[in-house]
Amino acid sequence: YELCAECYNLAKDEFIIKNDKGVWVKNVKKGNEYKFYDETKHYSLKQNLLNEFEMDFFNTVRKVINHKYVIIPQVNLQTIVETDTNTRNDELFRNIDFIVYHTEKYIPFLAIELNGQQHYTNEYWKERDKSVKAILKDIELPLLTIDIKDLRKIEPKEIEKIINKVIKYLNPGFLSKVFGKKNDKMDLTWAEREIKKLGTQNA
């Protein structure tokens, strides 16, 4: 797919456009417009929230997490982030691929992003990812970033093991967050390196 579901909708509304070089970039002229119901548009129900590859990953993770946790796909940032601004269609108009919640108090404790090629070559996506990482850092929500190229080479059982390790690693941090102690579990580069290594070994 050239664009993910989120970007496809942004492109339809011309919030992102192709520049002279054929690269998708933010349309600054549309960036500050509010979006309300438009009777001239045709609205229809999406048949698939996730593409086939995302659904496979979703089902793999669901096998790992027990009744204490739940994983939700395509979570908009403004549903989990509070700001001191009235603008809601700016930096929070972004979807996170997956959020894992602890069912106690239903607080999110892990964000997961599956990055395709556009995240490394497209300027809009590079800036988008920087913004998302900064916001998640501010709210102390750990982010696990997985390159789709690596994920395609890894057996589901191996992914299950890594996700399980991440959840066990973060759980004490989550409890500290709930009870007001400093959360020092933000850095998940060790898990990202492990996934990258597995992807290289299985290439």
Side-chain angles (χ1 to χ4, degrees), residues 6-9 26-27 49 62 92 98 102 107 127 161-162 169 182 187:
E6 178 187 356
C7 282
Y8 175 74
N9 289 325
K26 184 177 181 180
N27 184 357
L49 179 62
R62 283 202 300 180
L92 296 184
F98 302 97
H102 197 296
I107 296 176
E127 291 304 314
K161 290 178 183 177
I162 294 173
Y169 172 79
K182 185 172 178 58
D187 187 4

Side-chain angles (χ1 to χ4, degrees), residues 15 26-35 87 89-90:
F15 280 89
K26 184 177 181 180
N27 184 357
V28 294
K29 294 181 180 179
K30 294 276 290 186
N32 294 321
E33 292 183 9
Y34 287 96
K35 299 178 292 299
T87 306
N89 289 331
D90 50 10

Side-chain angles (χ1 to χ4, degrees), residues 150 153-155 158-159 162 192-203:
D150 296 323
K153 302 169 187 174
I154 304 174
E155 292 295 324
E158 294 174 317
I159 289 295
I162 294 173
E192 293 173 355
R193 286 196 300 268
E194 190 170 337
I195 292 170
K196 180 69 69 177
K197 182 178 178 181
L198 284 170
T200 302
Q201 290 176 347
N202 297 334

Side-chain angles (χ1 to χ4, degrees), residues 114-132:
L114 305 184
N115 284 357
Q117 185 64 28
Q118 74 272 20
H119 289 262
Y120 309 105
T121 59
N122 185 286
E123 290 304 317
Y124 170 82
W125 272 96
K126 288 180 183 179
E127 291 304 314
R128 178 263 188 200
D129 290 345
K130 287 180 184 177
S131 176
V132 168

Side-chain angles (χ1 to χ4, degrees), residues 92-198:
L92 296 184
F93 188 67
R94 306 281 186 274
N95 281 356
I96 303 296
D97 288 334
F98 302 97
I99 298 288
V100 181
Y101 296 82
H102 197 296
T103 52
E104 179 189 351
K105 298 192 178 183
Y106 231 80
I107 296 176
F109 76 103
L110 172 63
I112 303 175
E113 286 274 68
L114 305 184
N115 284 357
Q117 185 64 28
Q118 74 272 20
H119 289 262
Y120 309 105
T121 59
N122 185 286
E123 290 304 317
Y124 170 82
W125 272 96
K126 288 180 183 179
E127 291 304 314
R128 178 263 188 200
D129 290 345
K130 287 180 184 177
S131 176
V132 168
K133 286 180 181 179
I135 292 169
L136 295 182
K137 183 178 180 181
D138 279 353
I139 66 172
E140 295 187 344
L141 182 62
L143 170 65
L144 178 64
T145 302
I146 305 175
D147 191 326
I148 288 178
K149 288 191 303 183
D150 296 323
L151 198 56
R152 291 183 188 277
K153 302 169 187 174
I154 304 174
E155 292 295 324
K157 289 291 183 184
E158 294 174 317
I159 289 295
E160 289 176 15
K161 290 178 183 177
I162 294 173
I163 297 297
N164 197 35
K165 284 170 64 175
V166 169
I167 289 176
K168 286 182 177 179
Y169 172 79
L170 289 177
N171 195 45
F174 165 82
L175 294 176
S176 296
K177 184 176 180 181
V178 170
F179 293 106
K181 297 179 181 179
K182 185 172 178 58
N183 182 2
D184 60 353
K185 299 287 186 177
M186 287 290 293
D187 187 4
L188 294 180
T189 53
W190 60 270
E192 293 173 355
R193 286 196 300 268
E194 190 170 337
I195 292 170
K196 180 69 69 177
K197 182 178 178 181
L198 284 170

Side-chain angles (χ1 to χ4, degrees), residues 48-97:
N48 300 99
L49 179 62
L50 305 174
N51 62 38
E52 185 176 353
F53 184 76
E54 291 168 333
M55 182 60 75
D56 287 343
F57 177 81
F58 178 59
N59 288 331
T60 296
V61 175
R62 283 202 300 180
K63 291 177 184 176
V64 158
I65 61 179
N66 59 34
H67 67 280
K68 293 181 181 179
Y69 315 107
V70 62
I71 181 170
I72 305 296
Q74 296 298 312
V75 177
N76 194 269
L77 275 175
Q78 62 185 346
T79 65
I80 61 172
V81 179
E82 291 288 348
T83 67
D84 56 1
T85 173
N86 293 324
T87 306
R88 304 302 286 175
N89 289 331
D90 50 10
E91 75 277 6
L92 296 184
F93 188 67
R94 306 281 186 274
N95 281 356
I96 303 296
D97 288 334

